[in-house]
Amino acid sequence: MDASQTAPALKYSFRRDQRLFQIAFLGSLLAFGVFQRDFLVDGAFVLVTLATVWLAQTAAILWLGLAWNSLLSATISGLGLCLLCRANSLGWVALAAATSIASKFLIRWKGKHFFNPTNLGIIVLLVSTSSVWVSPAQWGTERLLVFWVLAMGLWVTFVSRRSDVSLVFLGTYVTLLVVRVIWLGQPTAVLFHQLQSGALLVFTFFMISDPRATPDAPTARLGFGVAVAVLAYVLRFHFYSPNALLYALFLLSPLTPILDSLWSTRRFEWGMPLATAPA
Amino acid sequence: MRLLLLSLLVSRLSFGFCGFYVAKADASLFNRASQVILVRDGNRTALTMANDFKGELSEFAMVVPVPEVLTREQIHVGDRKLIERVDNFSAPRLVEYFDDDPCNPTDRMRESGRAMMKNKGAGPEKRSGGAHGVTIEARYTVGEYDILILSAKESGGLETWLLDNGYKLPKNASKALGPYIKQNMKFFVARVNLKEQEKTGFTFLRPIQIAFESPKFMLPIRLGMVNADGPQDLLIYTITKKGRVETTNYRTVKLPTGMNVPIYIKEKFADFYRATFDTAHVKENKKVLFLEYAWNMGWCDPCAADPLSRDELRKLGVFWLADADESLAQRRRGIRPRPGNGIGPVDAFLTRLHVRYDGEHFPEDLMFQETGDSENFQGRYVLQHPWTGKSECREAEAYRERLATRRKEEAKTLASLTGWNLADITKAMGDAPNGDTGKKDDTKWYQNIFK
């Protein structure tokens, strides 16, 4: 991401960059998917996606004079696409990847992009072609549990400053699911089944938590997390959208600049020490 | 509005059900299998529920949650042959190839395909039955069926109403009905009108078709589990405009396909396929749906049965194929069909999903989505017949050596697909043709004892 745009007060440290953990996690989840599950993702898919995001990001780095470490953000966007996006030809994959990265530089408000790039790339193609889709259920259930635990642990340990939005979103969403299951008189197995979703996991920890695409102020961020959860619930259970989570975040992302202008606080930057990183 | 679907078969005496029919073990490949055809584009859905019920017709009854009160025009009684056509067309198949004479290679490859799966079956005896907050929203007689559309305020009331009207329900029926009532769904209740049934001249029940609009692309399988005493098989055929259909709340897994299996499987294909499915089902922890077929409905290669005509597709509810005759005529005039057989690509993509479900592994109804994936897929197993000629040449020797290895591979593949014992398979395969007795086995004596 364009970390160089707002001059950080502290020096960037590659080793402290939380994005490395995210890449490691997403990479292992992808490997799990490719080798263990019928993901419809092969080497070519991954290669085209990553090559496209790197190429697009490099162009932006050279053009806009951004820091090279922003390639890490592009890698995260690319891995997110590999995990969520499915297409019937590699051309669509490349287009989704290019759209994701381009959106960071084309759709901005006061020097900050407010759409999560992966989210935007998928949604734009979902609505514009039937050749792209998201397969939320292709993850299986049992072993996914391990990834849930791992994701929580890593997140809390390494990226806790921004984990609040993930946890608030998840808490609200799960509460709504619980209420619904109780209201319908369904067995608790239904609830667990609904939670054992790889798409929900990736969304919670690697998409809605995107510090660039969420409000900077803690209060605003909490409100944002709740709003996305409520909208996702409504879209899923009243409009029957299989991609409710993605649409909810996409529709509410424009709130980020508005909330930021209401609560002014220091802008998030990658690679800062946790103790001094902006809350 | 919600979607609808499947079923609850109730009866006065027993509540044996779950899908639409219960098949006899000796007459069908899979016991207790139901079939539904789901045609969908946008929010429009046409649903055909196959009913191979063969008990006393007076004792048949069925309850299906539906998203809205259906009008008379939304209900139709279809032709049972259509279901068989779709089943045969999409069934997992065996294909045969014949090796060339290694001394005189020619293009002698022959291929034949045939589908061996049939879902025929008979049901055990069923009895059918018949204001607690229950409203009869509509009442129709369609074909041989008397149909009621019920709405209910609470599940206890509906249960009582059904009991009062002669339906025998299992204990936890109320609990299963509850979620559908809370979601404001209506209940489609069908039983046989014997007088009308006599007029049809049929000894069986024809499939019920309903058409409705709902944003929810799903099948309510939970109701069918109420009295289930074991897992049930359900074949779901979807016909959509563009691509493959998959479930959004369970994994959809491709059936193992394309393997070479020993020749003797030709005579045991039903056993083979049942075992293959059983093995795959267990391997996936009983939690997935299997994709058995995905293909444009216009052609097939190899064909297990002729592709459905546009007229047949329309009868199944493929509403977007309105000008079937005219389009067909146009195709015949100008467009060459694709390889294989067929009328050429049509805007109809068939997905065949096979699920074996029970309450424990499938806590939720099945939710679907259409994907943009139009890649062809079929459950297909290959018989490669060895060359049986007597020619002698250096190539023939090499061929025989390869053949021995190939036979071993085929045996191993079969064992791994079906879970059958390798020694039994080898025995059943018999001797290889042309002097290869199959005894040229390089298995070490100790490899078998500690298995």
Side-chain angles (χ1 to χ4, degrees):
Chain A
M1 237 163 274
D2 43 339
S4 69
Q5 293 217 331
T6 322
L10 290 151
K11 204 178 167 199
Y12 170 79
S13 159
F14 183 76
R15 284 169 54 196
R16 255 200 313 261
D17 197 321
Q18 301 95 324
R19 289 174 293 185
L20 293 175
F21 294 104
Q22 297 187 42
I23 289 169
F25 184 85
L26 291 172
S28 52
L29 196 57
L30 183 60
F32 161 77
V34 171
F35 294 115
Q36 298 289 325
R37 295 297 181 198
D38 190 16
F39 257 25
L40 275 182
V41 172
D42 53 15
F45 189 106
V46 177
L47 208 68
V48 166
T49 309
L50 291 181
T52 310
V53 294
W54 285 333
L55 212 64
Q57 186 70 29
T58 304
I61 289 169
L62 297 175
W63 189 267
L64 302 170
L66 307 177
W68 283 99
N69 68 54
S70 64
L71 280 174
L72 294 178
S73 291
T75 309
I76 291 172
S77 302
L79 291 172
L81 283 171
C82 291
L83 286 167
L84 294 172
C85 186
R86 296 292 165 266
N88 59 15
S89 83
L90 290 176
W92 291 114
V93 177
L95 191 60
T99 307
S100 297
I101 301 301
S103 77
K104 291 199 293 182
F105 307 104
L106 298 177
I107 309 173
R108 303 175 73 87
W109 180 258
K110 292 188 178 170
K112 178 184 173 183
H113 68 259
F114 52 89
F115 282 109
N116 171 273
T118 309
N119 181 244
L120 182 131
I122 293 175
I123 295 288
V124 165
L125 284 161
L126 271 184
V127 297
S128 52
T129 170
S130 59
S131 299
V132 168
W133 69 98
V134 174
S135 289
Q138 291 304 89
W139 307 68
T141 49
E142 303 89 359
R143 274 172 286 188
L144 196 62
L145 202 62
V146 179
F147 280 102
W148 269 105
V149 174
L150 208 61
M152 293 281 252
L154 280 175
W155 203 260
V156 169
T157 312
F158 299 109
V159 204
S160 56
R161 289 287 165 170
R162 287 273 170 156
S163 64
D164 51 4
V165 69
S166 296
L167 299 179
V168 165
F169 160 77
L170 195 61
T172 310
Y173 192 67
V174 171
T175 305
L176 291 169
L177 293 181
V178 169
V179 169
R180 183 172 185 276
V181 163
I182 292 172
W183 173 65
L184 288 177
Q186 289 175 321
T188 48
V190 172
L191 179 68
F192 290 114
H193 181 75
Q194 288 168 346
L195 292 178
Q196 285 168 341
S197 153
L200 178 62
L201 183 151
V202 172
F203 180 83
T204 303
F205 293 107
F206 302 98
M207 193 174 277
I208 191 178
S209 57
D210 180 352
R212 291 306 200 127
T214 42
D216 286 321
T219 318
R221 213 159 52 229
L222 298 188
F224 185 77
V226 171
V228 172
V230 171
L231 183 59
Y233 177 89
V234 171
L235 291 177
R236 175 167 174 188
F237 293 105
H238 294 275
F239 294 92
Y240 309 109
S241 166
N243 303 311
L245 297 171
L246 298 175
Y247 278 107
L249 179 61
F250 178 80
L251 293 172
L252 291 177
S253 286
L255 280 182
T256 297
I258 298 171
L259 293 171
D260 276 347
S261 60
L262 293 177
W263 281 274
S264 60
T265 184
R266 209 179 117 188
R267 176 83 41 95
F268 176 85
E269 296 299 342
W270 288 111
M272 295 298 112
L274 288 181
T276 52
Chain B
M1 291 216 300
R2 331 250 141 76
L3 172 31
L4 77 56
L5 220 347
L6 201 34
S7 69
L8 182 69
L9 185 63
V10 289
S11 79
R12 269 190 290 245
L13 286 184
S14 69
F15 190 79
F17 166 75
C18 133
F20 291 92
Y21 61 72
V22 180
K24 269 186 190 161
D26 58 350
S28 84
L29 194 49
F30 291 98
N31 296 332
R32 305 169 62 77
S34 315
Q35 296 183 83
V36 295
I37 300 179
L38 202 46
V39 176
R40 183 166 167 105
D41 186 50
N43 285 345
R44 294 181 182 178
T45 306
L47 174 70
T48 304
M49 297 172 278
N51 182 355
D52 207 9
F53 178 81
K54 290 199 179 140
E56 282 294 317
L57 295 182
S58 61
E59 296 167 354
F60 168 86
M62 170 172 112
V63 177
V64 182
V66 290
E68 60 185 4
V69 174
L70 303 176
T71 64
R72 170 67 185 79
E73 289 73 30
Q74 288 173 276
I75 307 167
H76 182 250
V77 176
D79 183 350
R80 196 168 70 161
K81 279 185 187 151
L82 289 174
I83 308 259
E84 289 170 12
R85 292 274 290 118
V86 177
D87 180 16
N88 292 338
F89 177 68
S90 60
R93 63 211 61 201
L94 264 183
V95 296
E96 293 179 289
Y97 294 93
F98 296 84
D99 285 350
D100 288 341
D101 177 350
C103 302
N104 184 23
T106 54
D107 193 14
R108 202 176 68 90
M109 190 169 282
R110 278 184 284 153
E111 179 179 309
S112 66
R114 60 174 173 161
M116 317 263 302
M117 283 192 58
K118 294 273 191 286
N119 277 285
K120 288 181 182 166
E125 292 227 329
K126 293 268 183 277
R127 302 288 181 94
S128 78
H132 312 287
V134 174
T135 310
I136 300 175
E137 301 279 357
R139 190 193 293 267
Y140 314 108
T141 298
V142 185
E144 63 266 44
Y145 297 100
D146 282 333
I147 288 158
L148 295 177
I149 311 286
L150 302 178
S151 68
K153 288 198 166 62
E154 48 98 21
S155 54
L158 180 60
E159 188 178 26
T160 311
W161 190 93
L162 287 168
L163 288 170
D164 287 354
N165 285 272
Y167 296 86
K168 193 115 184 167
L169 300 171
K171 276 181 194 162
N172 44 357
S174 164
K175 213 172 176 185
L177 292 166
Y180 299 107
I181 295 173
K182 291 248 176 72
Q183 294 177 81
N184 206 22
M185 292 176 91
K186 313 299 175 200
F187 294 90
F188 177 100
V189 182
R191 30 165 46 165
V192 178
N193 180 316
L194 290 174
K195 273 188 192 166
E196 294 295 326
Q197 208 281 328
E198 234 171 77
K199 283 188 209 162
T200 67
F202 294 119
T203 53
F204 53 83
L205 294 174
R206 292 176 294 168
I208 297 177
Q209 298 183 293
I210 55 176
F212 56 90
E213 282 190 41
S214 169
K216 216 171 169 185
F217 190 7
M218 59 91 73
L219 273 184
I221 57 168
R222 289 292 300 178
L223 206 45
M225 296 177 189
V226 166
N227 61 327
D229 50 6
Q232 302 161 58
D233 279 71
L234 172 65
L235 285 170
I236 304 153
Y237 311 93
T238 63
I239 302 176
T240 46
K241 257 189 186 168
K242 293 200 158 43
R244 181 175 60 82
V245 167
E246 66 182 18
T247 30
T248 58
N249 56 347
Y250 297 96
R251 279 178 70 214
T252 304
V253 173
K254 284 177 179 163
L255 183 79
T257 186
M259 288 85 166
N260 278 37
V261 292
I263 308 296
Y264 83 93
I265 290 306
K266 188 172 181 177
E267 309 306 324
K268 298 186 68 175
F269 187 59
D271 288 338
F272 160 76
Y273 186 66
R274 199 185 297 113
T276 299
F277 187 88
D278 290 351
T279 308
H281 172 65
V282 172
K283 193 177 156 204
E284 296 291 354
N285 298 320
K286 307 183 180 181
K287 287 180 173 176
V288 307
L289 287 88
F290 286 94
L291 179 70
E292 289 186 331
Y293 191 82
W295 213 286
N296 184 288
M297 287 225 70
W299 62 291
C300 41
D301 185 18
C303 290
D306 287 339
L308 275 72
S309 69
R310 293 172 77 92
D311 191 45
E312 285 174 311
L313 288 175
R314 215 179 40 215
K315 283 180 182 162
L316 281 173
V318 187
F319 49 86
W320 57 87
L321 293 180
D323 296 325
D325 294 342
E326 192 186 331
S327 303
L328 185 57
Q330 279 173 2
R331 281 173 193 284
R332 282 180 175 159
R333 276 197 299 272
I335 303 172
R336 285 183 59 191
R338 298 279 293 273
N341 302 312
I343 55 172
V346 288
D347 285 337
F349 195 90
L350 175 67
T351 307
R352 173 183 172 124
L353 297 168
H354 185 169
V355 59
R356 180 169 297 163
Y357 64 92
D358 58 35
E360 184 191 343
H361 299 95
F362 286 83
E364 272 193 299
D365 287 333
L366 304 176
M367 309 289 300
F368 302 98
Q369 71 175 358
E370 181 183 8
T371 73
D373 181 15
S374 53
E375 200 175 307
N376 297 326
F377 177 84
Q378 59 183 347
R380 175 174 169 274
Y381 304 93
V382 181
L383 303 181
Q384 183 86 37
H385 289 274
W387 168 70
T388 52
K390 303 283 183 200
S391 310
E392 289 299 335
C393 62
R394 212 159 54 171
E395 285 75 17
E397 254 175 57
Y399 169 78
R400 285 182 188 116
E401 269 175 34
R402 283 201 307 276
L403 194 60
T405 317
R406 192 173 88 193
R407 283 166 55 83
K408 270 182 210 150
E409 286 305 316
E410 287 173 355
K412 275 187 203 162
T413 304
L414 182 60
S416 120
L417 278 176
T418 57
W420 292 345
N421 182 295
L422 188 59
D424 295 344
I425 291 171
T426 312
K427 195 174 164 194
M429 284 171 80
D431 293 343
N434 282 342
D436 179 358
T437 61
K439 288 170 189 164
K440 209 169 88 182
D441 188 354
D442 54 9
T443 308
K444 300 280 187 279
W445 64 271
Y446 45 81
Q447 283 179 321
N448 286 325
I449 57 174
F450 298 126
K451 275 200 288 197

